[in-house]
């Protein structure tokens, strides 16, 4: 079973290159926001080959699942491109922290790290954050692996341990992160996060508190829903208060006064207690970030045993789509001047409301197939569609599941919506792309077509 899957993988690259070349010759058009969609290919290689990325070589193995489509996005660093909407959000957050939190010497309390390599080890991405070995977030179907030991980071939290170990106790990390996910207007395999961490010594946390010198950060007790076993209730409450006050100030800075906020209890492996922050924006409650009191085991392992702290992480695209009324996440990768010029403002805090580009008609095609007896992951199909269709694919919906009453084989039917952001697509060119998707699904995923 595994051998047949590897054989399919070793021949997939050659197959798709020839198929892509055929489509490209038939349709010499520029896909929106990328190279011609048809010349993208799935980067499945036989174990033993090597992928070059950011000046380093990574041997591939049976865990490698990167695509050329995703590899082409590495190094774009939209958050560092001046006047890009993601850059604007980053700069607004950075400016707020620089102004609000100043150290004793008058310099900013928080350092900013926005150019760290997105290639991390699996230890950095998971183990350093106390994510269990069998946790579902490690699945190959949800992440982009270079090999079994290296991957494209799934969150900026992958850098927490290293920065703490370096002796930093207040920092922001901004960067591109990579996850395999569904295809719609809210999801893209590459997006951008901003992470913040702050640690407190006993003196810093209890300064200004009456009888603060008698209070302690740590104790040995039992874990509850409200605190960790090593934290005193007094310390935990003060850290939680500072975290929520910091985030309330930040959101007020971004969205304006009078913002209604609520906190929802949740779970993260690396914080406890943990919360999601929701804001009431135009009458709708929207989740904007996750946060919590850092797990002391993580802090201790990084060498900061005498400190306690908080962390939060937010998605830049999520905030930009809300603040600027951007309807489709694909737009962030646009090089269309009509999009980019709207964010060239003299003041980063200037209000911007995105004026939509003309919306061209969608073309919809369905694809049905019997699933293979081997393990099938929907994200593998989504990745394949993204790779061949590129940003011409607006969304993919699973519209029907069917199990044959006699053979017990399962069939899936997906509806693929194609829409160019800058011109009208013809059914002929979409048909060629869709046919390539059908043939690649058979060759790469081992499905049996019903088309």
């Amino acid at each position: 079973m595994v051998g047949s899957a590897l054989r399919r993988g070793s021949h997939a690259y050659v197959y798709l290159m020839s198929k892509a070349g055929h489509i490209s010759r038939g349709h010499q058009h520029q896909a929106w926001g990328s190279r011609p969609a048809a010349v993208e290919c799935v980067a499945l290689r036989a174990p033993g080959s090597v992928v070059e990325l950011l000046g380093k070589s990574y041997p591939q193995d049976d865990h490698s699942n990167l695509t050329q489509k995703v590899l082409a996005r590495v190094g774009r660093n939209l958050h560092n491109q001046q006047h890009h909407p993601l850059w604007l959000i980053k700069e607004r957050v950075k400016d707020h922290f620089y102004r609000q939190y100043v150290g004793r010497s008058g310099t900013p309390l928080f350092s900013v790290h926005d150019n760290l390599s997105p290639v991390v080890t699996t230890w950095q991405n998971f183990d350093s954050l106390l994510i269990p070995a069998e946790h579902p977030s490690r699945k190959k179907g949800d992440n982009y692996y270079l090999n079994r030991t290296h991957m494209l980071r799934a969150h900026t939290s992958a850098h927490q341990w290293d920065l703490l170990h370096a002796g930093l106790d207040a920092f922001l990390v901004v960067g591109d992160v990579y996850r395999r996910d569904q295809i719609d207007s809210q999801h893209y395999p590459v997006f951008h996060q901003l992470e913040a961490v702050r640690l407190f010594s006993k003196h810093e946390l209890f300064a200004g508190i009456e009888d603060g010198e008698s209070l302690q950060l740590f104790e040995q007790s039992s874990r509850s829903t409200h605190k960790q076993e090593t934290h005193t209730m007094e310390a935990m409450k003060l850290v939680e208060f500072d975290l929520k006050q910091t985030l309330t100030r930040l959101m007020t800075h971004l969205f304006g006064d009078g913002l209604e906020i609520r906190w929802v209890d949740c779970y993260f492996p690396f914080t406890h207690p943990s919360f999601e922050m929701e804001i009431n924006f135009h009458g709708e409650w929207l989740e904007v970030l996750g946060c919590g009191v850092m797990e002391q085991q993580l802090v201790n392992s990084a060498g900061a045993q005498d400190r306690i702290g908080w962390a939060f992480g937010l998605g830049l695209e999520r905030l930009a789509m809300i603040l600027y009324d951007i309807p489709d996440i694909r737009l962030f990768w646009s090089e269309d001047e009509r999009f980019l010029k709207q964010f060239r403002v003299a003041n980063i805090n200037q209000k911007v409301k995105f004026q939509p580009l003309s919306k061209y008609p969608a073309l919809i095609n369905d694809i049905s197939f019997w699933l293979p007896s081997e393990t099938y992951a929907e994200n593998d199909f989504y990745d394949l569609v993204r790779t061949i269709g590129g940003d011409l694919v607006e969304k993919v919906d699973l519209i029907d599941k069917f199990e044959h009453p006699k053979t017990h084989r399962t069939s899936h039917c997906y509806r693929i919506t194609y829409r160019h952001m800058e011109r009208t697509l013809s059914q002929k060119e979409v048909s060629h792309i869709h046919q390539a998707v059908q043939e690649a699904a058979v060759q790469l995923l081992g499905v049996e077509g019903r088309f």
Side-chain angles (χ1 to χ4, degrees), residues 170-187:
F171 53 83
L172 303 178
V173 180
V174 194
D176 44 335
V177 298
Y178 300 77
R179 294 182 195 170
R180 305 178 82 204
D181 212 332
Q182 64 200 80
I183 302 178
D184 58 33
S185 63
Q186 304 290 319
H187 295 87

Side-chain angles (χ1 to χ4, degrees), residues 365-425:
N365 286 254
D366 294 348
I367 177 172
S368 299
F369 47 75
W370 295 106
L371 304 190
S373 56
E374 302 172 26
T375 301
Y376 169 82
E378 286 184 32
N379 281 345
D380 289 339
F381 178 67
Y382 295 146
D383 239 16
L384 183 148
V385 174
R386 280 193 189 279
T387 298
I388 296 174
D391 288 341
L392 300 182
V393 180
E394 182 173 88
K395 64 177 179 176
V396 177
D397 296 313
L398 176 59
I399 61 173
D400 185 58
K401 288 184 180 182
F402 170 72
E403 181 176 326
H404 195 285
K406 292 183 178 180
T407 64
H408 299 292
R409 297 181 69 191
T410 300
S411 169
H412 281 188
C413 180
Y414 295 89
R415 178 156 293 164
I416 305 178
T417 302
Y418 299 90
R419 191 197 306 269
H420 204 295
M421 304 293 284
E422 297 172 5
R423 65 176 177 83
T424 299
L425 286 172

Side-chain angles (χ1 to χ4, degrees), residues 17 50 87 97 139-140 145 150 157 166 212 385 402-403:
M17 281 297 287
V50 173
W87 176 86
F97 272 87
K139 288 190 305 182
K140 181 179 174 181
Y145 286 93
H150 289 80
S157 306
V385 174
F402 170 72
E403 181 176 326

